[in-house]
PDB file of all heavy atoms in Angstrom:
ATOM      1  N   VAL A  16     127.923   3.882-126.786  1.00 66.00           N
ATOM      2  CA  VAL A  16     128.920   4.818-127.299  1.00 66.00           C
ATOM      3  C   VAL A  16     130.060   4.030-127.970  1.00 66.00           C
ATOM      4  O   VAL A  16     130.617   4.404-129.028  1.00 66.00           O
ATOM      5  CB  VAL A  16     129.386   5.786-126.302  1.00 66.00           C
ATOM      6  CG1 VAL A  16     130.638   6.618-126.647  1.00 66.00           C
ATOM      7  CG2 VAL A  16     128.277   6.648-125.908  1.00 66.00           C
ATOM      8  N   GLU A  17     130.489   2.910-127.270  1.00 63.00           N
ATOM      9  CA  GLU A  17     131.626   2.115-127.851  1.00 63.00           C
ATOM     10  C   GLU A  17     131.284   1.501-129.156  1.00 63.00           C
ATOM     11  O   GLU A  17     132.131   1.434-130.056  1.00 63.00           O
ATOM     12  CB  GLU A  17     132.006   1.065-126.843  1.00 63.00           C
ATOM     13  CG  GLU A  17     132.700   1.599-125.561  1.00 63.00           C
ATOM     14  CD  GLU A  17     133.058   0.576-124.536  1.00 63.00           C
ATOM     15  OE1 GLU A  17     132.686  -0.610-124.829  1.00 63.00           O
ATOM     16  OE2 GLU A  17     133.564   0.911-123.554  1.00 63.00           O
ATOM     17  N   GLU A  18     130.030   1.195-129.239  1.00 61.00           N
ATOM     18  CA  GLU A  18     129.572   0.570-130.552  1.00 61.00           C
ATOM     19  C   GLU A  18     129.220   1.557-131.680  1.00 61.00           C
ATOM     20  O   GLU A  18     129.193   1.203-132.837  1.00 61.00           O
ATOM     21  CB  GLU A  18     128.361  -0.299-130.234  1.00 61.00           C
ATOM     22  CG  GLU A  18     128.608  -1.569-129.361  1.00 61.00           C
ATOM     23  CD  GLU A  18     127.370  -2.155-128.876  1.00 61.00           C
ATOM     24  OE1 GLU A  18     126.359  -1.741-129.317  1.00 61.00           O
ATOM     25  OE2 GLU A  18     127.395  -3.196-128.251  1.00 61.00           O
ATOM     26  N   SER A  19     129.112   2.685-131.291  1.00 61.00           N
ATOM     27  CA  SER A  19     128.699   3.851-132.325  1.00 61.00           C
ATOM     28  C   SER A  19     129.888   4.029-133.239  1.00 61.00           C
ATOM     29  O   SER A  19     130.967   4.354-132.882  1.00 61.00           O
ATOM     30  CB  SER A  19     128.359   5.117-131.559  1.00 61.00           C
ATOM     31  OG  SER A  19     128.067   6.029-132.444  1.00 61.00           O
ATOM     32  N   SER A  20     129.592   3.986-134.495  1.00 64.00           N
ATOM     33  CA  SER A  20     130.615   4.320-135.623  1.00 64.00           C
ATOM     34  C   SER A  20     130.809   5.838-135.743  1.00 64.00           C
ATOM     35  O   SER A  20     131.891   6.334-136.036  1.00 64.00           O
ATOM     36  CB  SER A  20     130.240   3.636-136.782  1.00 64.00           C
ATOM     37  OG  SER A  20     129.066   4.176-137.287  1.00 64.00           O
ATOM     38  N   THR A  21     129.718   6.539-135.305  1.00 63.00           N
ATOM     39  CA  THR A  21     129.903   8.042-135.459  1.00 63.00           C
ATOM     40  C   THR A  21     130.876   8.569-134.493  1.00 63.00           C
ATOM     41  O   THR A  21     131.635   9.509-134.921  1.00 63.00           O
ATOM     42  CB  THR A  21     128.591   8.729-135.404  1.00 63.00           C
ATOM     43  OG1 THR A  21     128.038   8.339-134.093  1.00 63.00           O
ATOM     44  CG2 THR A  21     127.570   8.250-136.464  1.00 63.00           C
ATOM     45  N   SER A  22     130.879   8.069-133.373  1.00 62.00           N
ATOM     46  CA  SER A  22     131.879   8.573-132.338  1.00 62.00           C
ATOM     47  C   SER A  22     133.210   8.299-132.839  1.00 62.00           C
ATOM     48  O   SER A  22     134.194   9.070-132.501  1.00 62.00           O
ATOM     49  CB  SER A  22     131.513   8.033-131.035  1.00 62.00           C
ATOM     50  OG  SER A  22     131.839   6.570-130.916  1.00 62.00           O
ATOM     51  N   LYS A  23     133.469   7.157-133.327  1.00 66.00           N
ATOM     52  CA  LYS A  23     134.869   6.914-133.894  1.00 66.00           C
ATOM     53  C   LYS A  23     135.226   7.808-134.973  1.00 66.00           C
ATOM     54  O   LYS A  23     136.491   8.094-135.176  1.00 66.00           O
ATOM     55  CB  LYS A  23     134.856   5.367-134.306  1.00 66.00           C
ATOM     56  CG  LYS A  23     134.684   4.404-133.254  1.00 66.00           C
ATOM     57  CD  LYS A  23     134.690   2.952-133.805  1.00 66.00           C
ATOM     58  CE  LYS A  23     134.536   1.993-132.607  1.00 66.00           C
ATOM     59  NZ  LYS A  23     134.418   0.559-133.109  1.00 66.00           N
ATOM     60  N   LYS A  24     134.320   8.157-135.824  1.00 70.00           N
ATOM     61  CA  LYS A  24     134.610   9.112-136.916  1.00 70.00           C
ATOM     62  C   LYS A  24     134.821  10.542-136.369  1.00 70.00           C
ATOM     63  O   LYS A  24     135.534  11.282-136.968  1.00 70.00           O
ATOM     64  CB  LYS A  24     133.488   9.088-137.891  1.00 70.00           C
ATOM     65  CG  LYS A  24     133.321   7.841-138.723  1.00 70.00           C
ATOM     66  CD  LYS A  24     132.272   7.915-139.608  1.00 70.00           C
ATOM     67  CE  LYS A  24     131.989   6.548-140.331  1.00 70.00           C
ATOM     68  NZ  LYS A  24     130.886   6.537-141.246  1.00 70.00           N
ATOM     69  N   VAL A  25     134.135  10.992-135.317  1.00 71.00           N
ATOM     70  CA  VAL A  25     134.081  12.341-134.924  1.00 71.00           C
ATOM     71  C   VAL A  25     135.183  12.558-133.829  1.00 71.00           C
ATOM     72  O   VAL A  25     135.862  13.658-133.808  1.00 71.00           O
ATOM     73  CB  VAL A  25     132.724  12.745-134.202  1.00 71.00           C
ATOM     74  CG1 VAL A  25     132.779  14.013-133.461  1.00 71.00           C
ATOM     75  CG2 VAL A  25     131.590  12.728-135.268  1.00 71.00           C
ATOM     76  N   MET A  26     135.570  11.537-133.007  1.00 71.00           N
ATOM     77  CA  MET A  26     136.538  11.857-132.024  1.00 71.00           C
ATOM     78  C   MET A  26     137.963  12.353-132.605  1.00 71.00           C
ATOM     79  O   MET A  26     138.564  13.169-131.826  1.00 71.00           O
ATOM     80  CB  MET A  26     136.748  10.588-131.163  1.00 71.00           C
ATOM     81  CG  MET A  26     135.537  10.236-130.318  1.00 71.00           C
ATOM     82  SD  MET A  26     135.054  11.631-129.243  1.00 71.00           S
ATOM     83  CE  MET A  26     136.258  11.479-128.029  1.00 71.00           C
ATOM     84  N   PRO A  27     138.460  11.893-133.599  1.00 73.00           N
ATOM     85  CA  PRO A  27     139.742  12.472-134.006  1.00 73.00           C
ATOM     86  C   PRO A  27     139.767  13.919-134.348  1.00 73.00           C
ATOM     87  O   PRO A  27     140.816  14.679-134.276  1.00 73.00           O
ATOM     88  CB  PRO A  27     140.101  11.627-135.313  1.00 73.00           C
ATOM     89  CG  PRO A  27     139.421  10.427-135.167  1.00 73.00           C
ATOM     90  CD  PRO A  27     138.180  10.740-134.401  1.00 73.00           C
ATOM     91  N   TYR A  28     138.530  14.522-134.691  1.00 73.00           N
ATOM     92  CA  TYR A  28     138.437  15.956-134.809  1.00 73.00           C
ATOM     93  C   TYR A  28     138.109  16.618-133.598  1.00 73.00           C
ATOM     94  O   TYR A  28     138.476  17.887-133.483  1.00 73.00           O
ATOM     95  CB  TYR A  28     137.303  16.100-135.909  1.00 73.00           C
ATOM     96  CG  TYR A  28     137.467  15.427-137.183  1.00 73.00           C
ATOM     97  CD1 TYR A  28     136.796  14.407-137.673  1.00 73.00           C
ATOM     98  CD2 TYR A  28     138.566  15.934-138.093  1.00 73.00           C
ATOM     99  CE1 TYR A  28     136.995  13.746-138.855  1.00 73.00           C
ATOM    100  CE2 TYR A  28     138.847  15.292-139.256  1.00 73.00           C
ATOM    101  CZ  TYR A  28     138.057  14.278-139.680  1.00 73.00           C
ATOM    102  OH  TYR A  28     138.353  13.569-140.829  1.00 73.00           O
ATOM    103  N   VAL A  29     137.427  15.989-132.648  1.00 76.00           N
ATOM    104  CA  VAL A  29     137.086  16.699-131.375  1.00 76.00           C
ATOM    105  C   VAL A  29     138.322  16.781-130.345  1.00 76.00           C
ATOM    106  O   VAL A  29     138.517  17.854-129.656  1.00 76.00           O
ATOM    107  CB  VAL A  29     135.890  16.031-130.698  1.00 76.00           C
ATOM    108  CG1 VAL A  29     135.540  16.619-129.455  1.00 76.00           C
ATOM    109  CG2 VAL A  29     134.695  16.071-131.685  1.00 76.00           C
ATOM    110  N   LEU A  30     139.021  15.825-130.307  1.00 76.00           N
ATOM    111  CA  LEU A  30     140.018  15.728-129.287  1.00 76.00           C
ATOM    112  C   LEU A  30     141.069  16.746-129.429  1.00 76.00           C
ATOM    113  O   LEU A  30     141.561  17.417-128.471  1.00 76.00           O
ATOM    114  CB  LEU A  30     140.741  14.293-129.290  1.00 76.00           C
ATOM    115  CG  LEU A  30     139.917  13.200-128.761  1.00 76.00           C
ATOM    116  CD1 LEU A  30     140.541  11.880-128.864  1.00 76.00           C
ATOM    117  CD2 LEU A  30     139.608  13.466-127.274  1.00 76.00           C
ATOM    118  N   PRO A  31     141.636  17.014-130.688  1.00 80.00           N
ATOM    119  CA  PRO A  31     142.600  18.244-130.808  1.00 80.00           C
ATOM    120  C   PRO A  31     141.863  19.595-130.353  1.00 80.00           C
ATOM    121  O   PRO A  31     142.725  20.394-129.830  1.00 80.00           O
ATOM    122  CB  PRO A  31     142.847  18.328-132.295  1.00 80.00           C
ATOM    123  CG  PRO A  31     142.651  16.875-132.752  1.00 80.00           C
ATOM    124  CD  PRO A  31     141.447  16.413-132.008  1.00 80.00           C
ATOM    125  N   ILE A  32     140.698  19.693-130.624  1.00 80.00           N
ATOM    126  CA  ILE A  32     140.037  21.016-130.249  1.00 80.00           C
ATOM    127  C   ILE A  32     139.989  21.101-128.714  1.00 80.00           C
ATOM    128  O   ILE A  32     140.360  22.126-128.111  1.00 80.00           O
ATOM    129  CB  ILE A  32     138.668  21.136-130.890  1.00 80.00           C
ATOM    130  CG1 ILE A  32     138.771  21.301-132.386  1.00 80.00           C
ATOM    131  CG2 ILE A  32     137.854  22.408-130.266  1.00 80.00           C
ATOM    132  CD1 ILE A  32     137.465  21.112-133.090  1.00 80.00           C
ATOM    133  N   LEU A  33     139.612  19.955-128.110  1.00 76.00           N
ATOM    134  CA  LEU A  33     139.600  19.937-126.649  1.00 76.00           C
ATOM    135  C   LEU A  33     140.959  20.286-126.078  1.00 76.00           C
ATOM    136  O   LEU A  33     141.265  20.919-125.074  1.00 76.00           O
ATOM    137  CB  LEU A  33     138.906  18.777-126.136  1.00 76.00           C
ATOM    138  CG  LEU A  33     137.413  18.374-126.418  1.00 76.00           C
ATOM    139  CD1 LEU A  33     137.059  17.077-125.917  1.00 76.00           C
ATOM    140  CD2 LEU A  33     136.702  19.566-125.595  1.00 76.00           C
ATOM    141  N   GLY A  34     141.955  19.474-126.611  1.00 77.00           N
ATOM    142  CA  GLY A  34     143.473  19.720-126.218  1.00 77.00           C
ATOM    143  C   GLY A  34     143.765  21.092-126.395  1.00 77.00           C
ATOM    144  O   GLY A  34     144.644  21.570-125.479  1.00 77.00           O
ATOM    145  N   TYR A  35     143.462  21.804-127.359  1.00 77.00           N
ATOM    146  CA  TYR A  35     143.889  23.223-127.615  1.00 77.00           C
ATOM    147  C   TYR A  35     143.272  24.060-126.401  1.00 77.00           C
ATOM    148  O   TYR A  35     143.911  24.874-125.955  1.00 77.00           O
ATOM    149  CB  TYR A  35     143.278  23.683-129.023  1.00 77.00           C
ATOM    150  CG  TYR A  35     143.493  25.073-129.041  1.00 77.00           C
ATOM    151  CD1 TYR A  35     144.761  25.732-129.340  1.00 77.00           C
ATOM    152  CD2 TYR A  35     142.405  26.083-129.041  1.00 77.00           C
ATOM    153  CE1 TYR A  35     144.928  27.087-129.481  1.00 77.00           C
ATOM    154  CE2 TYR A  35     142.606  27.452-129.058  1.00 77.00           C
ATOM    155  CZ  TYR A  35     143.861  27.930-129.401  1.00 77.00           C
ATOM    156  OH  TYR A  35     143.959  29.292-129.544  1.00 77.00           O
ATOM    157  N   PHE A  36     142.098  23.879-126.105  1.00 78.00           N
ATOM    158  CA  PHE A  36     141.410  24.653-125.014  1.00 78.00           C
ATOM    159  C   PHE A  36     142.072  24.371-123.649  1.00 78.00           C
ATOM    160  O   PHE A  36     142.302  25.245-122.865  1.00 78.00           O
ATOM    161  CB  PHE A  36     139.993  24.556-125.030  1.00 78.00           C
ATOM    162  CG  PHE A  36     139.199  25.243-126.082  1.00 78.00           C
ATOM    163  CD1 PHE A  36     138.502  24.552-127.066  1.00 78.00           C
ATOM    164  CD2 PHE A  36     139.347  26.598-126.249  1.00 78.00           C
ATOM    165  CE1 PHE A  36     137.908  25.203-128.083  1.00 78.00           C
ATOM    166  CE2 PHE A  36     138.661  27.251-127.276  1.00 78.00           C
ATOM    167  CZ  PHE A  36     137.833  26.549-128.223  1.00 78.00           C
ATOM    168  N   PHE A  37     142.286  23.164-123.426  1.00 78.00           N
ATOM    169  CA  PHE A  37     142.907  22.720-122.141  1.00 78.00           C
ATOM    170  C   PHE A  37     144.344  23.182-122.001  1.00 78.00           C
ATOM    171  O   PHE A  37     144.819  23.578-120.829  1.00 78.00           O
ATOM    172  CB  PHE A  37     142.689  21.233-121.777  1.00 78.00           C
ATOM    173  CG  PHE A  37     141.350  20.785-121.440  1.00 78.00           C
ATOM    174  CD1 PHE A  37     140.529  19.923-122.299  1.00 78.00           C
ATOM    175  CD2 PHE A  37     140.744  21.374-120.297  1.00 78.00           C
ATOM    176  CE1 PHE A  37     139.327  19.488-121.906  1.00 78.00           C
ATOM    177  CE2 PHE A  37     139.444  21.087-120.022  1.00 78.00           C
ATOM    178  CZ  PHE A  37     138.720  20.175-120.693  1.00 78.00           C
ATOM    179  N   ASN A  38     145.072  23.015-123.059  1.00 75.00           N
ATOM    180  CA  ASN A  38     146.477  23.521-123.068  1.00 75.00           C
ATOM    181  C   ASN A  38     146.571  25.001-122.836  1.00 75.00           C
ATOM    182  O   ASN A  38     147.379  25.556-122.080  1.00 75.00           O
ATOM    183  CB  ASN A  38     147.245  23.169-124.243  1.00 75.00           C
ATOM    184  CG  ASN A  38     147.489  21.668-124.260  1.00 75.00           C
ATOM    185  OD1 ASN A  38     147.604  21.060-123.241  1.00 75.00           O
ATOM    186  ND2 ASN A  38     147.782  21.123-125.446  1.00 75.00           N
ATOM    187  N   LYS A  39     145.496  25.815-123.386  1.00 65.00           N
ATOM    188  CA  LYS A  39     145.530  27.257-123.442  1.00 65.00           C
ATOM    189  C   LYS A  39     145.268  27.619-121.913  1.00 65.00           C
ATOM    190  O   LYS A  39     145.894  28.487-121.324  1.00 65.00           O
ATOM    191  CB  LYS A  39     144.479  27.779-124.243  1.00 65.00           C
ATOM    192  CG  LYS A  39     144.450  29.263-124.450  1.00 65.00           C
ATOM    193  CD  LYS A  39     143.431  29.731-125.368  1.00 65.00           C
ATOM    194  CE  LYS A  39     143.525  31.263-125.573  1.00 65.00           C
ATOM    195  NZ  LYS A  39     142.488  31.624-126.621  1.00 65.00           N
TER     196      LYS A  39
END
């Protein structure tokens, strides 16, 4: 996972969504 480039590209989009649900 650390070596995967797709996770580095996807994480900036996924983290705000997760933050929205947890803050809600």
Side-chain angles (χ1 to χ4, degrees):
V16 168
E17 288 175 359
E18 295 172 359
S19 174
S20 61
T21 57
S22 66
K23 291 178 184 175
K24 292 177 183 176
V25 172
M26 289 307 281
Y28 300 108
V29 172
L30 288 177
I32 295 170
L33 291 175
Y35 171 76
F36 285 117
F37 284 120
N38 286 336
K39 188 174 184 180

